[in-house]
């Protein structure tokens, strides 16, 4: 049955029988046979097929969602059994929220590859909500997230502290003045923020509540890099992680606005679904717990001030 599910998932994702056949090194009639057998087992059609497209119907969407979870569990089970007699190796699917995934994780994975070259990592970057959901559905082995998520379905372990600061263009009037900014002044600025579901957006809203301010002007982006570019261009200000702005601070492209009550602290957490872990996952978690770069950053609450 697992082979039938694998073929079905590939057809659903490729939306094409020929491409699915190539990916599985099968003939197109063989792929069609697998799909018919799965539909017979389920008891209904799962795909809408025309000369122009292949797409999931409502039943197909349900089967696809659960097939991804079943295949993830099957792979994890096989890896756990293989680990009983082998060293840390094999696939490791890692998910991370944007801040950690874009600015910290690459160096940790480089360290992992140096020590354990037989581990094959794949990385998914998304907001906290998405990563937590993929871990909960067994599509990722581990997630690294910040902010709140549905902890009832996951095993969560806080492992690093991050500090959030307000940044502006070096040409901003507040930077030129050098004095600490009044909290009331923040309300009149244009705020450049992440989308809902992002840990950085959650931290920003927490800061608004803490300072009792309700800004009127916002610009929204789905990742941190365009936020930094927009702030540098003078379009507004933003609350960002110290990890995300190290290069810009060093080069003078961004400056930290000095505000009483900041930096704002938040926790990054390791999230997993199962207490049973492959050796690859075990060693990766140990690297996260003992990473010297994280320890160094945690010791500095106001970087480069």
């Amino acid at each position: 049955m697992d082979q039938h599910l694998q073929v079905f998932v590939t057809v659903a994702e490729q939306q094409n029988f020929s491409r699915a056949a190539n990916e599985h090194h099968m003939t197109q009639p063989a792929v069609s046979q697998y799909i018919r057998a799965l539909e017979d087992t389920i008891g209904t059609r799962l795909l809408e097929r025309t000369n122009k497209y292949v797409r999931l119907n409502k039943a197909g969407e349900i089967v696809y969602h659960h097939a991804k979870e079943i295949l993830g569990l099957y792979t994890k089970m096989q890896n756990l059994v293989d680990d009983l007699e082998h060293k840390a190796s094999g696939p490791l699917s890692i998910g991370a929220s944007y801040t950690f995934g874009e600015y910290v994780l690459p160096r940790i994975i480089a360290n992992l590859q140096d020590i354990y070259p037989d581990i094959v990592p794949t990385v998914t970057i998304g907001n906290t909500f998405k990563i937590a959901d993929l871990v909960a559905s067994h599509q990722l082995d581990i997630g690294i997230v910040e902010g709140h998520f549905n902890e009832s379905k996951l095993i969560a372990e806080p492992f690093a502290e991050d500090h959030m600061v307000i940044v502006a263009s070096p040409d901003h009037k507040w930077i030129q003045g050098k004095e600490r900014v009044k909290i009331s002044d923040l309300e009149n600025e244009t705020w450049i923020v992440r989308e809902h579901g992002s840990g950085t957006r959650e931290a920003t809203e927490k800061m608004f509540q803490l300072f009792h301010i309700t800004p009127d002007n916002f610009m929204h982006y789905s990742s941190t890099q365009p936020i930094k570019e927009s702030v540098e261009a003078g379009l507004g200000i933003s609350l960002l992680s110290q990890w995300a702005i190290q290069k810009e601070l060093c080069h003078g492209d961004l400056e930290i606005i000095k505000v009483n009550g900041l930096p704002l602290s938040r926790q990054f957490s390791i999230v997993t679904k199962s207490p049973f872990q492959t050796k690859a996952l075990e060693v990766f978690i140990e690297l996260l717990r003992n990473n010297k770069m994280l320890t160094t950053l945690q010791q500095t609450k106001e970087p480069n001030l």
Side-chain angles (χ1 to χ4, degrees):
M1 177 59 71
D2 61 291
Q3 181 68 21
H4 290 77
L5 291 178
Q6 287 174 348
V7 172
F8 169 73
V9 165
T10 304
V11 170
E13 292 177 345
Q14 297 288 343
Q15 297 184 321
N16 185 281
F17 277 73
S18 296
R19 289 196 292 267
N22 290 336
E23 187 166 326
H24 287 279
H25 305 290
M26 302 167 62
T27 64
Q28 187 171 331
V31 170
S32 298
Q33 186 176 354
Y34 271 97
I35 297 300
R36 282 196 298 271
L38 180 62
E39 289 177 331
D40 288 344
T41 300
I42 300 297
T44 188
R45 292 179 65 86
L46 304 176
L47 298 168
E48 299 296 333
R49 285 162 265 195
T50 71
N51 292 332
K52 295 183 178 180
Y53 65 80
V54 176
R55 65 187 180 194
L56 296 170
N57 59 23
K58 200 67 178 178
E61 290 175 0
I62 294 172
V63 174
Y64 173 78
H65 173 79
H66 289 283
K68 292 282 285 185
E69 185 168 347
I70 290 167
L71 292 172
L73 282 170
Y74 185 88
T75 300
K76 186 173 293 185
M77 175 191 70
Q78 188 63 57
N79 290 338
L80 285 167
V81 173
D82 291 343
D83 279 349
L84 293 176
E85 298 181 1
H86 298 89
K87 62 181 181 179
S89 62
L92 177 64
S93 56
I94 304 164
S97 56
Y98 282 97
T99 298
F100 197 94
E102 292 180 339
Y103 300 103
V104 183
L105 186 59
R107 282 173 281 182
I108 294 176
I109 290 181
N111 190 18
L112 176 73
Q113 294 284 266
D114 285 341
I115 303 171
Y116 302 100
D118 293 329
I119 294 177
V120 183
T122 58
V123 177
T124 299
I125 306 295
N127 64 36
T128 291
F129 179 83
K130 175 184 176 182
I131 296 302
D133 186 58
L134 290 174
V135 174
S137 62
H138 302 281
Q139 295 181 53
L140 292 173
D141 296 320
I142 183 173
I144 305 159
V145 298
E146 76 275 2
H148 290 94
F149 47 90
N150 189 352
E151 296 186 34
S152 63
K153 297 181 179 181
L154 297 168
I155 301 167
E157 175 193 339
F159 77 103
E161 190 175 36
D162 186 19
H163 302 289
M164 310 288 291
V165 293
I166 299 175
V167 293
S169 162
D171 298 325
H172 195 285
K173 60 185 178 180
W174 291 342
I175 301 300
Q176 298 300 318
K178 299 297 182 183
E179 71 275 1
R180 283 191 177 268
V181 174
K182 294 179 181 178
I183 289 174
S184 58
D185 293 334
L186 298 174
E187 197 162 28
N188 300 320
E189 289 293 304
T190 296
W191 283 86
I192 305 176
V193 298
R194 287 283 309 280
E195 80 287 1
H196 288 288
S198 156
T200 298
R201 175 62 177 268
E202 181 183 322
T204 302
E205 293 179 345
K206 179 181 177 181
M207 181 196 65
F208 291 157
Q209 294 173 2
L210 179 67
F211 290 164
H212 303 289
I213 61 175
T214 309
D216 292 324
N217 300 316
F218 290 93
M219 294 179 64
H220 300 82
Y221 288 101
S222 60
S223 66
T224 301
Q225 190 59 38
I227 290 179
K228 294 193 294 182
E229 297 286 344
S230 297
V231 172
E232 183 182 342
L235 295 177
I237 63 176
S238 187
L239 183 77
L240 293 175
S241 162
Q242 62 170 348
W243 288 332
I245 58 174
Q246 292 299 303
K247 289 183 179 180
E248 288 77 12
L249 292 177
C250 181
H251 296 151
D253 298 325
L254 294 175
E255 295 282 351
I256 294 174
I257 297 175
K258 299 178 181 179
V259 180
N260 289 328
L262 293 180
L264 183 72
S265 297
R266 64 175 178 177
Q267 293 289 328
F268 275 89
S269 296
I270 297 167
V271 291
T272 54
K273 175 67 173 179
S274 171
F276 301 105
Q277 297 175 353
T278 65
K279 288 185 180 179
L281 180 54
E282 286 178 359
V283 299
F284 178 67
I285 289 175
E286 282 304 307
L287 280 180
L288 290 173
R289 289 171 178 159
N290 301 316
N291 191 275
K292 293 181 179 179
M293 180 181 65
L294 300 181
T295 303
T296 300
L297 284 172
Q298 285 169 215
Q299 290 171 349
T300 305
K301 287 195 174 183
E302 294 193 59
N304 298 333
L305 282 180

